[in-house]
Amino acid sequence: MRRIGARRGMRKTFSGVRLKRLREERGMTQAALAKALDLSPSYLNQIENNQRPLTVAVLLRLNAAFGVDVQLFAEDDEARLIGELKDALSDPAVSDPIATSELREIASAMPAVGRAIVTLHRRYRQAAERAEALTARLAPGAEAAGVLPLLPYEQVRDFFYANHNYFHELDAAAERLAARLGGGPGAAAAPAFAARLESAHGVRVTVDGEADRLYRRSGDALRLSPRMRPGQQAFQMATQLAFLEAGDSLERLADEAAKGDRETHALARIGLAHHFAGALLMPYAGFLQNAEDRRYDIERLGQLYGLGFETICHRLSTLQRPNARGVPFVFVRVDRAGNISKRQSATDFHFSRVGGACPLWNVYEAFAQPSRILTQIARMPDGRAYLWVARTVSRPAGAYGAIPKTFAIALGCDLRHADRLVYAKGLDLADPDAATPIGAGCKVCERPACPQRAFPPVGRKLTIDETSRAFAPYSAA
Protein backbone atom coordinates (compact mmCIF):
# COMPACT_ATOMS: atom_id res chain seq x y z
CA MET A 1 0.00 0.00 0.00
CA ARG A 2 2.85 2.35 0.79
CA ARG A 3 4.41 1.85 -2.66
CA ILE A 4 1.07 2.47 -4.40
CA GLY A 5 0.54 5.70 -2.48
CA ALA A 6 4.03 6.90 -3.30
CA ARG A 7 3.54 6.11 -6.97
CA ARG A 8 0.25 8.03 -7.04
CA GLY A 9 1.93 11.05 -5.40
CA MET A 10 4.66 11.29 -8.04
CA ARG A 11 4.34 13.75 -10.89
CA LYS A 12 6.21 13.62 -14.15
CA THR A 13 8.58 16.56 -14.50
CA PHE A 14 8.89 18.07 -17.95
CA SER A 15 11.82 20.52 -17.89
CA GLY A 16 13.14 20.35 -21.43
CA VAL A 17 13.75 24.09 -21.79
CA ARG A 18 15.76 24.21 -18.57
CA LEU A 19 17.87 21.25 -19.65
CA LYS A 20 18.47 22.80 -23.08
CA ARG A 21 19.50 26.12 -21.50
CA LEU A 22 21.87 24.27 -19.17
CA ARG A 23 23.45 22.50 -22.16
CA GLU A 24 23.83 25.70 -24.20
CA GLU A 25 25.38 27.55 -21.25
CA ARG A 26 28.10 24.88 -21.26
CA GLY A 27 28.56 25.11 -25.03
CA MET A 28 27.64 21.46 -25.60
CA THR A 29 25.83 19.81 -28.48
CA GLN A 30 23.00 17.37 -27.87
CA ALA A 31 25.27 14.51 -28.89
CA ALA A 32 27.98 15.56 -26.43
CA LEU A 33 25.55 15.88 -23.53
CA ALA A 34 23.89 12.58 -24.43
CA LYS A 35 27.30 10.87 -24.34
CA ALA A 36 28.19 12.47 -20.99
CA LEU A 37 24.89 11.26 -19.50
CA ASP A 38 25.08 7.84 -21.17
CA LEU A 39 21.84 8.47 -23.07
CA SER A 40 20.96 8.09 -26.69
CA PRO A 41 20.81 11.39 -28.66
CA SER A 42 17.20 10.67 -29.66
CA TYR A 43 16.16 10.15 -26.01
CA LEU A 44 17.84 13.43 -24.96
CA ASN A 45 16.16 15.22 -27.86
CA GLN A 46 12.76 13.97 -26.65
CA ILE A 47 13.50 15.23 -23.11
CA GLU A 48 14.47 18.68 -24.39
CA ASN A 49 11.24 18.87 -26.42
CA ASN A 50 9.12 17.80 -23.41
CA GLN A 51 8.13 14.57 -25.14
CA ARG A 52 9.61 12.58 -22.26
CA PRO A 53 9.84 13.54 -18.57
CA LEU A 54 13.10 14.32 -16.83
CA THR A 55 13.50 11.30 -14.58
CA VAL A 56 15.25 11.05 -11.21
CA ALA A 57 17.89 8.83 -12.78
CA VAL A 58 18.79 11.50 -15.36
CA LEU A 59 18.84 14.18 -12.66
CA LEU A 60 21.31 12.13 -10.65
CA ARG A 61 23.51 11.70 -13.73
CA LEU A 62 23.44 15.50 -14.28
CA ASN A 63 24.53 16.02 -10.70
CA ALA A 64 27.33 13.46 -10.97
CA ALA A 65 28.63 14.77 -14.31
CA PHE A 66 28.32 18.54 -13.84
CA GLY A 67 27.55 19.15 -10.16
CA VAL A 68 24.14 20.56 -11.12
CA ASP A 69 21.82 21.24 -8.16
CA VAL A 70 18.71 19.15 -8.75
CA GLN A 71 16.63 21.92 -7.07
CA LEU A 72 17.05 23.78 -10.36
CA PHE A 73 14.30 21.48 -11.66
CA ALA A 74 12.16 21.39 -8.48
CA GLU A 75 8.37 21.67 -8.81
CA ASP A 76 8.15 23.84 -5.67
CA ASP A 77 10.10 26.59 -7.41
CA GLU A 78 7.80 26.29 -10.39
CA ALA A 79 4.69 26.62 -8.20
CA ARG A 80 6.17 29.66 -6.49
CA LEU A 81 6.93 31.27 -9.84
CA ILE A 82 3.37 30.57 -11.04
CA GLY A 83 2.03 32.35 -7.95
CA GLU A 84 4.31 35.33 -8.49
CA LEU A 85 3.35 35.54 -12.17
CA LYS A 86 -0.33 35.35 -11.26
CA ASP A 87 0.11 38.24 -8.83
CA ALA A 88 2.06 40.33 -11.35
CA LEU A 89 -0.16 39.70 -14.37
CA SER A 90 -3.49 40.01 -12.52
CA ASP A 91 -2.76 43.72 -12.07
CA PRO A 92 -5.45 45.43 -14.22
CA ALA A 93 -2.99 48.20 -15.05
CA VAL A 94 -0.64 45.66 -16.65
CA SER A 95 -2.71 43.20 -18.66
CA ASP A 96 -5.98 41.40 -19.23
CA PRO A 97 -6.58 38.23 -17.18
CA ILE A 98 -4.29 35.34 -18.17
CA ALA A 99 -5.24 31.70 -17.66
CA THR A 100 -3.31 29.70 -15.06
CA SER A 101 -2.45 27.12 -17.74
CA GLU A 102 -0.59 29.80 -19.71
CA LEU A 103 1.26 30.96 -16.60
CA ARG A 104 2.23 27.35 -15.87
CA GLU A 105 3.61 27.06 -19.40
CA ILE A 106 5.80 30.15 -18.87
CA ALA A 107 7.01 28.91 -15.48
CA SER A 108 7.91 25.44 -16.72
CA ALA A 109 9.18 26.19 -20.23
CA MET A 110 10.63 29.71 -19.80
CA PRO A 111 11.37 30.26 -16.10
CA ALA A 112 13.99 32.94 -16.78
CA VAL A 113 11.43 34.94 -18.75
CA GLY A 114 8.91 34.42 -15.96
CA ARG A 115 11.34 35.69 -13.32
CA ALA A 116 12.13 38.71 -15.50
CA ILE A 117 8.41 39.52 -15.73
CA VAL A 118 8.04 39.28 -11.95
CA THR A 119 11.07 41.52 -11.40
CA LEU A 120 9.84 44.13 -13.88
CA HIS A 121 6.40 44.18 -12.25
CA ARG A 122 7.93 44.53 -8.79
CA ARG A 123 9.97 47.50 -9.95
CA TYR A 124 6.91 49.01 -11.64
CA ARG A 125 4.84 48.74 -8.44
CA GLN A 126 7.64 50.25 -6.36
CA ALA A 127 7.93 53.17 -8.75
CA ALA A 128 4.15 53.65 -8.81
CA GLU A 129 3.92 53.61 -5.02
CA ARG A 130 6.74 56.15 -4.70
CA ALA A 131 5.00 58.38 -7.23
CA GLU A 132 1.66 58.08 -5.42
CA ALA A 133 3.22 58.77 -2.02
CA LEU A 134 5.11 61.80 -3.31
CA THR A 135 1.97 63.07 -5.03
CA ALA A 136 -0.04 62.66 -1.82
CA ARG A 137 2.65 64.56 0.10
CA LEU A 138 3.47 67.32 -2.39
CA ALA A 139 0.26 67.75 -4.39
CA PRO A 140 -2.79 66.15 -2.73
CA GLY A 141 -5.07 67.22 -5.59
CA ALA A 142 -2.93 65.83 -8.40
CA GLU A 143 -4.76 62.49 -8.62
CA ALA A 144 -8.09 64.20 -9.13
CA ALA A 145 -6.49 66.32 -11.82
CA GLY A 146 -5.51 63.20 -13.75
CA VAL A 147 -1.78 63.09 -13.03
CA LEU A 148 -2.14 59.45 -11.91
CA PRO A 149 -4.73 57.13 -13.46
CA LEU A 150 -7.39 55.88 -11.05
CA LEU A 151 -8.88 52.40 -11.11
CA PRO A 152 -12.68 52.17 -11.48
CA TYR A 153 -13.36 51.46 -7.81
CA GLU A 154 -11.12 54.41 -6.88
CA GLN A 155 -13.07 56.69 -9.20
CA VAL A 156 -16.35 55.61 -7.57
CA ARG A 157 -14.89 56.03 -4.08
CA ASP A 158 -13.68 59.54 -4.92
CA PHE A 159 -17.07 60.41 -6.44
CA PHE A 160 -18.80 59.50 -3.17
CA TYR A 161 -16.16 61.43 -1.23
CA ALA A 162 -16.63 64.54 -3.40
CA ASN A 163 -20.38 64.40 -2.68
CA HIS A 164 -19.80 63.99 1.09
CA ASN A 165 -21.40 60.55 0.83
CA TYR A 166 -24.87 62.09 0.32
CA PHE A 167 -27.07 62.25 -2.78
CA HIS A 168 -30.14 64.33 -2.10
CA GLU A 169 -31.98 63.23 -5.24
CA LEU A 170 -31.79 59.56 -4.25
CA ASP A 171 -32.30 60.12 -0.54
CA ALA A 172 -35.41 62.26 -0.99
CA ALA A 173 -36.91 59.84 -3.55
CA ALA A 174 -36.36 56.91 -1.20
CA GLU A 175 -37.95 58.83 1.68
CA ARG A 176 -41.05 59.58 -0.42
CA LEU A 177 -41.35 55.94 -1.52
CA ALA A 178 -41.01 54.71 2.09
CA ALA A 179 -43.81 57.05 3.14
CA ARG A 180 -46.08 55.68 0.39
CA LEU A 181 -45.31 52.04 1.18
CA GLY A 182 -45.60 52.23 4.98
CA GLY A 183 -44.71 48.94 6.60
CA GLY A 184 -42.56 50.30 9.41
CA PRO A 185 -38.83 51.05 9.66
CA GLY A 186 -35.98 48.81 8.66
CA ALA A 187 -36.50 45.07 8.38
CA ALA A 188 -40.20 45.44 9.26
CA ALA A 189 -40.76 46.98 5.82
CA ALA A 190 -39.76 43.78 3.98
CA PRO A 191 -43.38 42.64 3.31
CA ALA A 192 -44.20 46.09 1.91
CA PHE A 193 -41.12 45.94 -0.34
CA ALA A 194 -42.12 42.48 -1.62
CA ALA A 195 -45.66 43.66 -2.30
CA ARG A 196 -44.38 46.71 -4.19
CA LEU A 197 -42.06 44.62 -6.34
CA GLU A 198 -44.91 42.33 -7.34
CA SER A 199 -47.71 44.89 -7.78
CA ALA A 200 -45.73 47.64 -9.54
CA HIS A 201 -43.10 45.61 -11.40
CA GLY A 202 -44.45 42.07 -11.63
CA VAL A 203 -41.45 40.72 -9.72
CA ARG A 204 -42.12 37.86 -7.34
CA VAL A 205 -39.75 37.47 -4.38
CA THR A 206 -38.66 33.99 -3.34
CA VAL A 207 -36.23 32.97 -0.60
CA ASP A 208 -34.53 29.98 -2.16
CA GLY A 209 -31.41 31.28 -3.89
CA GLU A 210 -27.70 30.63 -3.60
CA ALA A 211 -26.62 34.22 -4.30
CA ASP A 212 -27.65 36.94 -1.86
CA ARG A 213 -29.72 38.55 -4.63
CA LEU A 214 -30.42 37.21 -8.10
CA TYR A 215 -32.83 39.07 -10.40
CA ARG A 216 -34.06 37.35 -13.54
CA ARG A 217 -35.72 39.75 -15.95
CA SER A 218 -36.92 36.90 -18.13
CA GLY A 219 -38.75 35.18 -15.30
CA ASP A 220 -39.70 38.32 -13.37
CA ALA A 221 -38.33 36.79 -10.19
CA LEU A 222 -36.08 38.03 -7.41
CA ARG A 223 -34.40 35.17 -5.56
CA LEU A 224 -32.87 35.82 -2.14
CA SER A 225 -30.63 33.60 -0.06
CA PRO A 226 -32.16 31.94 3.01
CA ARG A 227 -28.77 32.35 4.72
CA MET A 228 -29.41 36.08 5.11
CA ARG A 229 -31.06 37.62 8.14
CA PRO A 230 -34.42 39.40 7.65
CA GLY A 231 -32.74 42.80 7.66
CA GLN A 232 -30.30 41.70 4.95
CA GLN A 233 -33.13 40.32 2.82
CA ALA A 234 -34.99 43.62 3.19
CA PHE A 235 -31.86 45.49 2.07
CA GLN A 236 -31.60 43.34 -1.08
CA MET A 237 -35.26 43.98 -1.90
CA ALA A 238 -34.69 47.70 -1.38
CA THR A 239 -31.66 47.53 -3.71
CA GLN A 240 -33.78 45.95 -6.43
CA LEU A 241 -36.42 48.66 -5.96
CA ALA A 242 -33.66 51.22 -6.47
CA PHE A 243 -32.80 49.78 -9.88
CA LEU A 244 -36.46 49.59 -10.90
CA GLU A 245 -37.81 52.86 -9.48
CA ALA A 246 -34.84 55.21 -9.53
CA GLY A 247 -33.13 53.95 -12.69
CA ASP A 248 -32.96 57.36 -14.39
CA SER A 249 -31.34 58.98 -11.36
CA LEU A 250 -28.88 56.11 -10.98
CA GLU A 251 -27.95 56.37 -14.65
CA ARG A 252 -27.40 60.12 -14.59
CA LEU A 253 -25.29 60.07 -11.44
CA ALA A 254 -23.31 57.06 -12.67
CA ASP A 255 -22.55 58.91 -15.91
CA GLU A 256 -21.23 61.78 -13.82
CA ALA A 257 -18.98 59.42 -11.84
CA ALA A 258 -17.76 57.33 -14.78
CA LYS A 259 -16.73 59.96 -17.31
CA GLY A 260 -17.11 57.39 -20.07
CA ASP A 261 -15.61 54.33 -18.37
CA ARG A 262 -18.04 51.38 -18.49
CA GLU A 263 -16.67 49.52 -15.48
CA THR A 264 -16.75 52.66 -13.34
CA HIS A 265 -20.30 53.30 -14.51
CA ALA A 266 -21.44 49.82 -13.46
CA LEU A 267 -19.77 50.04 -10.05
CA ALA A 268 -21.23 53.49 -9.48
CA ARG A 269 -24.76 52.26 -10.24
CA ILE A 270 -24.41 49.52 -7.63
CA GLY A 271 -23.04 51.93 -5.01
CA LEU A 272 -25.80 54.45 -5.69
CA ALA A 273 -28.46 51.72 -5.53
CA HIS A 274 -27.11 50.73 -2.11
CA HIS A 275 -27.39 54.37 -1.04
CA PHE A 276 -31.05 54.39 -2.12
CA ALA A 277 -31.67 51.09 -0.32
CA GLY A 278 -30.26 52.43 2.94
CA ALA A 279 -32.41 55.53 2.65
CA LEU A 280 -35.51 53.40 1.93
CA LEU A 281 -34.91 51.21 4.98
CA MET A 282 -34.01 54.18 7.20
CA PRO A 283 -35.83 57.29 5.86
CA TYR A 284 -33.80 60.41 6.54
CA ALA A 285 -35.89 62.54 8.90
CA GLY A 286 -37.02 59.71 11.14
CA PHE A 287 -33.59 58.06 11.26
CA LEU A 288 -31.82 61.33 12.09
CA GLN A 289 -34.27 62.00 14.92
CA ASN A 290 -33.84 58.50 16.30
CA ALA A 291 -30.06 58.81 16.09
CA GLU A 292 -30.06 62.12 17.95
CA ASP A 293 -32.49 60.84 20.60
CA ARG A 294 -30.28 57.79 21.24
CA ARG A 295 -27.00 59.75 21.07
CA TYR A 296 -25.95 57.76 18.02
CA ASP A 297 -25.95 54.47 19.90
CA ILE A 298 -25.36 52.03 17.04
CA GLU A 299 -26.62 48.94 18.85
CA ARG A 300 -29.86 50.61 19.98
CA LEU A 301 -30.49 51.83 16.44
CA GLY A 302 -29.81 48.31 15.15
CA GLN A 303 -32.43 46.91 17.54
CA LEU A 304 -34.96 49.55 16.48
CA TYR A 305 -34.51 48.94 12.74
CA GLY A 306 -33.66 45.23 12.82
CA LEU A 307 -30.46 45.87 10.91
CA GLY A 308 -26.80 45.00 11.42
CA PHE A 309 -23.96 47.05 12.86
CA GLU A 310 -22.37 47.74 9.46
CA THR A 311 -25.63 48.85 7.84
CA ILE A 312 -26.39 51.27 10.68
CA CYS A 313 -22.86 52.71 10.58
CA HIS A 314 -23.05 53.14 6.82
CA ARG A 315 -26.34 55.04 7.09
CA LEU A 316 -25.00 57.25 9.87
CA SER A 317 -22.18 58.32 7.54
CA THR A 318 -24.72 59.66 4.99
CA LEU A 319 -26.68 62.12 7.19
CA GLN A 320 -25.56 65.28 5.41
CA ARG A 321 -28.81 66.79 4.10
CA PRO A 322 -28.58 70.60 3.92
CA ASN A 323 -30.37 72.26 6.86
CA ALA A 324 -30.74 68.87 8.59
CA ARG A 325 -27.26 67.51 9.09
CA GLY A 326 -26.28 64.78 11.48
CA VAL A 327 -22.80 64.23 12.86
CA PRO A 328 -20.37 64.10 9.91
CA PHE A 329 -18.82 60.64 10.14
CA VAL A 330 -16.04 58.69 8.48
CA PHE A 331 -17.02 55.07 7.71
CA VAL A 332 -14.37 52.40 7.17
CA ARG A 333 -14.36 48.62 6.69
CA VAL A 334 -11.09 46.66 6.90
CA ASP A 335 -9.99 43.03 6.98
CA ARG A 336 -7.34 41.31 9.10
CA ALA A 337 -4.66 41.97 6.50
CA GLY A 338 -5.25 45.72 6.69
CA ASN A 339 -7.04 46.04 3.35
CA ILE A 340 -9.64 48.82 3.38
CA SER A 341 -12.57 47.56 1.31
CA LYS A 342 -14.95 50.43 2.15
CA ARG A 343 -14.12 53.99 3.05
CA GLN A 344 -16.58 56.82 2.85
CA SER A 345 -16.43 60.17 4.52
CA ALA A 346 -18.60 63.21 5.14
CA THR A 347 -15.50 64.93 6.56
CA ASP A 348 -12.05 65.81 5.27
CA PHE A 349 -10.36 62.84 6.94
CA HIS A 350 -7.40 61.86 4.77
CA PHE A 351 -6.97 58.26 3.69
CA SER A 352 -3.66 57.12 2.30
CA ARG A 353 -3.68 55.28 -1.03
CA VAL A 354 -0.33 53.65 -0.34
CA GLY A 355 1.47 51.90 2.48
CA GLY A 356 -1.60 50.68 4.33
CA ALA A 357 -3.29 52.37 7.27
CA CYS A 358 -1.92 53.12 10.72
CA PRO A 359 -1.54 50.03 12.97
CA LEU A 360 -2.21 52.18 16.06
CA TRP A 361 -5.78 52.77 14.87
CA ASN A 362 -8.31 50.88 17.03
CA VAL A 363 -10.04 49.37 13.99
CA TYR A 364 -7.23 46.79 13.90
CA GLU A 365 -7.35 46.13 17.63
CA ALA A 366 -11.01 45.15 17.17
CA PHE A 367 -9.97 41.80 15.69
CA ALA A 368 -8.38 40.85 19.02
CA GLN A 369 -11.68 41.50 20.83
CA PRO A 370 -14.41 40.22 18.47
CA SER A 371 -17.90 41.76 18.72
CA ARG A 372 -16.81 44.20 21.41
CA ILE A 373 -17.17 47.93 20.75
CA LEU A 374 -13.88 49.78 21.22
CA THR A 375 -13.48 53.55 21.49
CA GLN A 376 -10.44 55.68 20.81
CA ILE A 377 -9.48 59.33 20.71
CA ALA A 378 -6.92 59.62 17.91
CA ARG A 379 -4.93 62.60 16.71
CA MET A 380 -3.61 63.03 13.17
CA PRO A 381 -0.22 64.64 12.37
CA ASP A 382 -2.03 67.87 11.37
CA GLY A 383 -3.36 68.16 14.93
CA ARG A 384 -6.98 67.23 14.23
CA ALA A 385 -8.46 64.76 16.70
CA TYR A 386 -11.23 62.22 16.15
CA LEU A 387 -13.39 59.94 18.25
CA TRP A 388 -13.41 56.43 16.75
CA VAL A 389 -15.79 53.56 17.41
CA ALA A 390 -14.75 50.12 16.11
CA ARG A 391 -16.17 46.61 16.20
CA THR A 392 -15.88 43.39 14.23
CA VAL A 393 -18.73 41.99 12.17
CA SER A 394 -18.90 38.46 10.84
CA ARG A 395 -21.19 36.53 8.56
CA PRO A 396 -20.96 32.73 8.26
CA ALA A 397 -20.82 31.18 4.80
CA GLY A 398 -23.68 28.80 5.66
CA ALA A 399 -21.83 25.50 5.30
CA TYR A 400 -19.37 23.51 7.37
CA GLY A 401 -15.79 24.31 6.48
CA ALA A 402 -16.66 27.32 4.33
CA ILE A 403 -14.76 30.54 4.99
CA PRO A 404 -16.90 33.23 6.67
CA LYS A 405 -16.73 36.98 6.08
CA THR A 406 -15.08 38.86 8.93
CA PHE A 407 -14.35 42.58 8.93
CA ALA A 408 -13.77 45.39 11.39
CA ILE A 409 -16.02 48.42 11.05
CA ALA A 410 -14.89 51.86 12.22
CA LEU A 411 -16.99 55.01 12.55
CA GLY A 412 -15.24 58.26 13.41
CA CYS A 413 -16.07 61.94 13.85
CA ASP A 414 -14.18 65.11 14.59
CA LEU A 415 -13.68 65.51 18.33
CA ARG A 416 -15.77 68.68 18.40
CA HIS A 417 -18.86 66.53 17.73
CA ALA A 418 -17.92 63.81 20.23
CA ASP A 419 -20.12 65.06 23.10
CA ARG A 420 -23.19 64.25 20.96
CA LEU A 421 -22.22 60.54 21.00
CA VAL A 422 -22.85 58.04 23.77
CA TYR A 423 -19.36 56.68 23.09
CA ALA A 424 -17.74 59.78 24.63
CA LYS A 425 -18.90 58.58 28.05
CA GLY A 426 -15.93 58.21 30.38
CA LEU A 427 -13.42 59.76 27.95
CA ASP A 428 -11.49 62.93 28.73
CA LEU A 429 -12.15 64.90 25.56
CA ALA A 430 -10.21 67.93 26.81
CA ASP A 431 -6.93 66.17 27.61
CA PRO A 432 -4.58 66.41 24.61
CA ASP A 433 -2.43 63.58 26.02
CA ALA A 434 -5.42 61.20 25.99
CA ALA A 435 -5.29 60.97 22.19
CA THR A 436 -3.40 58.20 20.41
CA PRO A 437 -1.14 59.65 17.69
CA ILE A 438 -2.03 57.97 14.39
CA GLY A 439 -1.33 58.75 10.74
CA ALA A 440 -2.76 58.21 7.28
CA GLY A 441 -0.12 55.58 6.40
CA CYS A 442 3.55 55.03 7.11
CA LYS A 443 4.84 56.15 3.72
CA VAL A 444 3.16 59.55 3.96
CA CYS A 445 3.14 59.99 7.76
CA GLU A 446 5.52 62.67 9.04
CA ARG A 447 5.67 61.58 12.68
CA PRO A 448 9.39 61.53 13.54
CA ALA A 449 9.48 58.86 16.26
CA CYS A 450 6.70 56.32 15.81
CA PRO A 451 7.72 52.92 17.23
CA GLN A 452 5.20 51.15 14.99
CA ARG A 453 6.47 52.60 11.71
CA ALA A 454 6.67 49.96 8.95
CA PHE A 455 8.22 52.07 6.16
CA PRO A 456 10.38 55.18 6.07
CA PRO A 457 8.60 58.38 4.99
CA VAL A 458 8.89 58.95 1.26
CA GLY A 459 10.80 62.05 0.20
CA ARG A 460 12.79 62.46 3.42
CA LYS A 461 16.38 61.41 4.04
CA LEU A 462 17.02 58.92 6.81
CA THR A 463 19.42 59.31 9.69
CA ILE A 464 21.52 56.13 9.48
CA ASP A 465 24.01 55.44 12.26
CA GLU A 466 25.51 51.98 12.60
CA THR A 467 26.83 52.80 16.11
CA SER A 468 23.41 53.20 17.72
CA ARG A 469 19.90 51.83 17.59
CA ALA A 470 16.78 53.80 18.53
CA PHE A 471 13.49 52.37 19.78
CA ALA A 472 11.62 53.91 16.84
CA PRO A 473 12.76 52.64 13.40
CA TYR A 474 13.56 54.75 10.32
CA SER A 475 14.59 58.02 11.94
CA ALA A 476 14.29 60.84 9.41
CA ALA A 477 16.81 63.66 9.20
Side-chain angles (χ1 to χ4, degrees):
M1 291 296 293
R2 190 177 296 116
R3 288 195 300 273
I4 293 174
R7 191 176 297 121
R8 286 178 176 172
M10 294 176 62
R11 288 182 53 192
K12 294 181 179 180
T13 301
F14 293 91
S15 302
V17 174
R18 299 186 191 187
L19 182 60
K20 182 178 180 180
R21 187 175 70 248
L22 183 70
R23 173 175 61 78
E24 290 175 345
E25 287 174 352
R26 283 162 172 74
M28 300 178 70
T29 63
Q30 271 192 354
L33 180 59
K35 183 177 180 180
L37 298 178
D38 195 21
L39 301 174
S40 69
S42 62
Y43 185 80
L44 181 62
N45 181 66
Q46 290 175 331
I47 293 176
E48 288 193 355
N49 287 285
N50 285 333
Q51 295 172 357
R52 285 182 178 270
L54 187 62
T55 64
V56 174
V58 176
L59 282 172
L60 293 175
R61 292 182 191 182
L62 278 167
N63 177 261
F66 304 103
V68 173
D69 186 355
V70 295
Q71 291 299 314
L72 179 67
F73 302 91
E75 292 179 354
D76 287 346
D77 286 346
E78 181 177 311
R80 183 179 303 166
L81 181 56
I82 291 171
E84 291 174 339
L85 283 168
K86 187 176 295 185
D87 180 62
L89 297 177
S90 63
D91 188 335
V94 175
S95 102
D96 293 328
I98 297 177
T100 302
S101 58
E102 295 182 57
L103 300 180
R104 185 176 292 111
E105 186 70 22
I106 293 174
S108 62
M110 296 175 286
V113 174
R115 285 190 291 271
I117 292 172
V118 170
T119 300
L120 287 172
H121 179 261
R122 189 176 293 123
R123 291 177 179 174
Y124 155 75
R125 288 305 310 163
Q126 289 171 348
E129 287 183 5
R130 291 192 186 100
E132 290 175 12
L134 284 170
T135 300
R137 178 184 293 277
L138 302 176
E143 288 170 308
V147 175
L148 295 173
L150 297 178
L151 296 174
Y153 78 91
E154 292 175 318
Q155 294 181 50
V156 173
R157 182 187 62 204
D158 288 357
F159 177 67
F160 274 74
Y161 181 82
N163 286 275
H164 297 280
N165 202 25
Y166 177 75
F167 300 91
H168 183 74
E169 180 180 346
L170 295 177
D171 217 290
E175 191 173 29
R176 291 192 298 269
L177 178 59
R180 289 200 303 270
L181 298 181
F193 294 168
R196 176 70 175 184
L197 285 165
E198 186 161 12
S199 63
H201 305 286
V203 175
R204 183 171 56 88
V205 178
T206 62
V207 184
D208 59 356
E210 287 297 322
D212 286 356
R213 174 174 56 86
L214 180 61
Y215 173 57
R216 296 294 191 192
R217 291 185 179 88
S218 58
D220 292 326
L222 177 65
R223 301 181 65 182
L224 304 177
S225 170
R227 296 191 301 270
M228 293 191 297
R229 296 187 295 271
Q232 294 170 320
Q233 293 174 351
F235 184 88
Q236 295 304 326
M237 284 188 268
T239 300
Q240 193 59 54
L241 282 169
F243 288 120
L244 296 172
E245 305 225 0
D248 291 343
S249 296
L250 298 181
E251 192 69 16
R252 184 183 60 77
L253 289 168
D255 283 341
E256 184 181 338
K259 296 180 174 59
D261 185 82
R262 288 190 300 173
E263 190 174 343
T264 304
H265 184 278
L267 288 173
R269 273 178 57 88
I270 295 172
L272 292 164
H274 287 168
H275 183 96
F276 183 98
L280 185 58
L281 284 162
M282 296 162 279
Y284 195 101
F287 185 77
L288 176 59
Q289 187 62 56
N290 285 323
E292 290 282 353
D293 290 346
R294 291 160 178 77
R295 297 190 63 197
Y296 292 85
D297 190 317
I298 300 166
E299 290 182 305
R300 291 183 65 194
L301 290 169
Q303 293 165 8
L304 177 63
Y305 285 87
L307 299 171
F309 189 88
E310 179 178 349
T311 305
I312 295 295
C313 287
H314 191 282
R315 182 56 171 154
L316 286 172
S317 73
T318 68
L319 300 181
Q320 293 302 297
R321 178 176 292 180
N323 303 319
R325 297 185 189 276
V327 172
F329 283 111
V330 186
F331 169 78
V332 180
R333 188 180 76 176
V334 306
D335 63 20
R336 293 179 184 273
N339 302 304
I340 300 179
S341 53
K342 287 185 181 180
R343 58 188 194 187
Q344 296 175 347
S345 177
T347 76
D348 294 327
F349 184 81
H350 175 68
F351 293 102
S352 173
R353 296 182 187 275
V354 296
C358 181
L360 300 178
W361 196 8
N362 71 337
V363 68
Y364 296 113
E365 185 182 349
F367 287 108
Q369 304 182 58
S371 301
R372 180 182 175 187
I373 292 180
L374 306 180
T375 59
Q376 180 188 47
I377 300 174
R379 191 175 301 279
M380 299 295 290
D382 62 5
R384 296 184 66 174
Y386 296 83
L387 173 61
W388 286 99
V389 180
R391 202 200 85 173
T392 57
V393 296
S394 185
R395 180 181 165 192
Y400 176 75
I403 299 175
K405 289 183 178 181
T406 301
F407 299 99
I409 304 298
L411 197 68
C413 70
D414 194 286
L415 203 61
R416 69 178 184 272
H417 301 293
D419 58 354
R420 297 167 62 182
L421 275 62
V422 67
Y423 303 105
K425 184 178 180 180
L427 300 178
D428 189 349
L429 304 180
D431 182 5
D433 294 330
T436 302
I438 70 169
C442 288
K443 290 185 178 179
V444 296
C445 181
E446 299 179 358
R447 294 197 184 279
C450 177
Q452 201 63 54
R453 180 178 284 282
F455 307 102
V458 173
R460 297 180 64 182
K461 291 185 177 180
L462 297 180
T463 299
I464 303 173
D465 184 358
E466 66 180 26
T467 65
S468 66
R469 182 181 186 275
F471 181 65
Y474 301 117
S475 298

